Amino acid sequence: DADVTQTPRNRITKTGKRIMLECSQTKGHDRMYWYRQDPGLGLRLIYYSFDVKDINKGEISDGYSVSRQAQAKFSLSLESAIPNQTALYFCATSDSGAVETQYFGPGTRLLVL
Amino acid sequence: GQSLEQPSEVTAVEGAIVQINCTYQTSGFYGLSWYQQHDGGAPTFLSYNALDGLEETGRFSSFLSRSDSYGYLLLQELQMKDSASYFCAVTANDYKLSFGAGTTVTVRA
């Protein structure tokens, strides 16, 4: 079984809808991250969490919110989806002592119409 | 903030050697990582350099010069399966990874 899982893997939604992307991990890591990937722009950090009680904004948090429900679960919400949020979204985890070594989920491909 | 530059594309033939350079401007620099991502897949960790010098892992090596704010990933004995995107990423005193835009490596037969 995969260590980091994401659901759904693909999603099509309409402008203005609220959607949630979910991430679960079995690695026992404290730190979890949400990234967005657009062609030619690499991976950009949306939000990150160093433990259950800690949530931090990344470089592109506007229009997004997160919830760390448990050590193993970190969800990303788009409050009111817009077309320029169409992208590939990745969840990742790391051990607290090795932030440079991150383990990524398979990604969620989101299309906002 | 963090700023990283790496070439957008590199093409080479099987068996060749490819070097992907990465220059960075980072405050509170800790180290430089490299990730590989196959088309449609998740990024996977390749290597990390915190100190100056060369780290070798099989056919792949990574180098760092902290004084020059520069590093590179060396891919030797290229194979078709090495066709992928490669990202450099810096870790700084904010305990986050900041990624470059990625280099697409295409290996031709």
Side-chain angles (χ1 to χ4, degrees):
Chain A
D1 288 342
D3 294 319
V4 185
T5 56
Q6 292 183 233
T7 56
R9 294 294 312 279
N10 295 279
R11 178 76 183 268
I12 300 173
T13 192
K14 294 182 178 180
T15 298
K17 295 291 187 181
R18 182 181 189 276
I19 69 162
M20 179 182 291
L21 309 183
E22 299 188 352
C23 176
S24 294
Q25 53 113 348
T26 58
K27 297 192 74 67
H29 288 162
D30 289 328
R31 301 187 176 189
M32 298 187 73
Y33 312 83
W34 275 104
Y35 292 92
R36 165 179 174 158
Q37 185 173 36
D38 298 276
L41 293 179
L43 291 145
R44 293 183 291 167
L45 185 63
I46 307 172
Y47 271 95
Y48 59 105
S49 169
F50 284 173
D51 62 41
V52 175
K53 296 180 181 179
D54 176 79
I55 301 289
N56 303 281
K57 292 183 177 180
E59 59 181 305
I60 55 162
S61 59
D62 286 350
Y64 302 94
S65 63
V66 291
S67 174
R68 185 83 183 264
Q69 300 95 323
Q71 186 200 39
K73 295 184 181 297
F74 193 35
S75 60
L76 175 73
S77 294
L78 284 66
E79 300 303 324
S80 179
I82 56 177
N84 77 0
Q85 290 178 313
T86 293
L88 183 56
Y89 290 85
F90 286 103
C91 172
T93 74
S94 74
D95 184 68
S96 57
V99 67
E100 72 280 355
T101 309
Q102 295 191 7
Y103 297 86
F104 284 78
T108 295
R109 197 168 293 276
L110 176 66
L111 174 61
V112 182
L113 300 175
Chain B
Q2 329 294 358
S3 172
L4 298 94
E5 289 202 13
Q6 54 182 124
S8 58
E9 295 180 20
V10 173
T11 300
V13 297
E14 273 187 299
I17 298 173
V18 161
Q19 179 172 315
I20 304 170
N21 298 321
C22 176
T23 58
Y24 58 86
Q25 291 185 316
T26 303
S27 54
F29 176 83
Y30 278 0
L32 185 70
S33 303
W34 290 92
Y35 282 76
Q36 179 191 59
Q37 183 182 29
H38 285 99
D39 194 29
T44 57
F45 173 80
L46 288 177
S47 66
Y48 175 66
N49 295 67
L51 303 176
D52 287 355
L54 190 68
E55 296 277 347
E56 297 180 72
T57 309
R59 295 185 297 111
F60 294 0
S61 303
S62 57
F63 172 84
L64 176 65
S65 168
R66 296 174 70 104
S67 60
D68 295 322
S69 298
Y70 162 76
Y72 66 72
L73 179 69
L74 193 70
L75 287 62
Q76 302 180 79
E77 301 172 20
L78 273 180
Q79 302 177 7
M80 297 299 288
K81 67 179 181 179
D82 298 330
S83 290
S85 292
Y86 295 83
F87 297 88
C88 58
V90 295
T91 308
N93 57 7
D94 55 3
Y95 304 107
K96 299 179 296 184
L97 272 183
S98 296
F99 286 84
T103 300
T104 300
V105 173
T106 302
V107 182
R108 295 185 287 111

